[in-house]
Amino acid sequence: MARRQILTASFWSRLMAPPLCDREVAMHCTLTPDEIEAVARKRTAAARLGYAVSLAYLRHPGRVREVGEQPNDVMLAFLADQVDASASDLAVYDRRPQTRREHIAQIMARFGYQAFTRSLVRELVHWLTPSAGEDARVEPLAISLIEELRWRHILIPARRTVELIVRHAIRRAENVRISALTQDLDPDHYDTLRALIAPPESGEVSTLSWLKAAPKSASAKSIKAVLDRLMVVRAIGLPSSLRQNLSL
């Protein structure tokens, strides 16, 4: 059975979209002197613009531009102005897919971009685990992961791979938390804790359900009921170190 997708198509589409507003375009599409020098080596305006567009896509959103994909007007005009070309030159460039592939290979080699490989999955799960321990929401974790990949100049993998890393990081963070909570417990603690959830021999609820149903009203009867529950909890004899481990 296929795993349920944890990132929506609309969310993924936004992550993989090139910059659109003026501020984002200026932030991600301003070419450095080294990049300008590399672009200037291309003889035609079409080649210069196509090279610059491929470079901008690898930088942000961090992927190769799809065949036939048209950059938005703001991004295209901004890049064309930097490389002495016209936005219409991109249509000429796209008629030569072999040149486009060669330029992508040149950019990756010169500017240190690398394709994502399966060997990175375990490393990235470990990298993402501390963040998952602080906030297990899927979308913020996916954003953190993709920003890290962009910073490392690693091309963004398929959505299912990002979901795999996020899912495993969340599970690993849960295991780390459980280990921290249980590392100081002895066998007697486990037996006592299991007894809390055991089906009652008589009565309507388990001990754990009874503990959770502490009264909230302010009365002598309620205070006695709360104290009765407190005595049961203290009788478990949980180690004092558990309080420190709860913050992990």
Side-chain angles (χ1 to χ4, degrees):
M1 180 182 296
R3 287 186 179 273
R4 180 180 64 85
Q5 291 182 340
I6 58 176
L7 299 174
T8 65
S10 60
F11 174 78
W12 184 253
S13 178
R14 292 194 301 272
L15 280 181
M16 293 297 99
L20 177 59
C21 70
D22 290 340
R23 177 178 173 277
E24 290 181 344
V25 168
M27 178 186 302
H28 299 298
C29 299
T30 298
L31 302 178
T32 67
D34 189 30
E35 291 166 345
I36 290 290
E37 192 275 334
V39 170
R41 291 177 177 270
K42 308 307 173 187
R43 292 185 300 103
T44 67
R48 291 194 299 274
L49 180 58
Y51 188 98
V53 168
S54 293
L55 178 57
Y57 265 78
L58 290 176
R59 179 190 294 164
H60 193 95
R63 62 175 176 83
V64 173
R65 179 170 67 100
E66 299 288 344
V67 174
E69 180 180 358
Q70 180 69 18
N72 63 73
D73 293 343
V74 176
M75 177 184 184
L76 191 57
F78 188 82
L79 288 168
D81 186 60
Q82 294 178 79
V83 301
D84 191 24
S86 170
S88 60
D89 289 324
L90 188 65
V92 177
Y93 178 80
D94 282 346
R95 297 185 193 127
R96 304 191 62 181
Q98 179 63 31
T99 299
R100 176 175 173 271
R101 289 192 293 270
E102 291 172 355
H103 284 178
I104 291 171
Q106 292 170 12
I107 293 167
M108 292 182 68
R110 175 161 182 166
F111 298 105
Y113 289 92
Q114 56 182 305
F116 185 93
T117 60
R118 296 291 296 181
S119 62
L120 290 168
V121 170
R122 179 182 295 272
E123 175 192 344
L124 290 167
V125 168
H126 282 251
W127 176 85
L128 192 60
T129 295
S131 297
E134 295 178 2
D135 184 351
R137 290 179 298 162
V138 170
E139 291 188 357
L141 289 173
I143 291 171
S144 295
L145 174 60
I146 287 174
E147 288 178 346
E148 177 68 10
L149 291 171
R150 289 169 179 162
W151 183 80
R152 297 191 192 186
H153 282 196
I154 299 172
L155 302 192
I156 309 301
R159 175 171 53 164
R160 62 179 178 273
T161 302
V162 172
E163 291 178 328
L164 173 72
I165 294 170
V166 170
R167 187 182 285 112
H168 282 209
I170 293 172
R171 184 179 303 131
R172 187 169 183 270
E174 291 174 350
N175 291 337
V176 169
R177 189 180 300 110
I178 291 170
S179 296
L181 290 173
T182 60
Q183 62 185 359
D184 295 329
L185 300 182
D186 58 36
D188 288 340
H189 289 132
Y190 285 106
D191 291 340
T192 305
L193 291 172
R194 289 191 189 99
L196 295 180
I197 60 174
E201 296 181 1
S202 61
E204 298 180 355
V205 297
S206 66
T207 303
L208 180 60
S209 297
W210 173 75
L211 288 172
K212 293 165 64 177
K216 298 178 175 60
S217 60
S219 67
K221 183 178 179 181
S222 296
I223 293 174
K224 182 181 182 303
V226 171
L227 292 175
D228 289 342
R229 287 165 170 79
L230 181 59
M231 294 294 290
V232 171
V233 172
R234 286 183 172 176
I236 299 172
L238 294 173
S240 59
S241 59
L242 186 62
R243 178 174 298 177
Q244 286 77 33
N245 294 340
L246 282 171
S247 64
L248 297 176

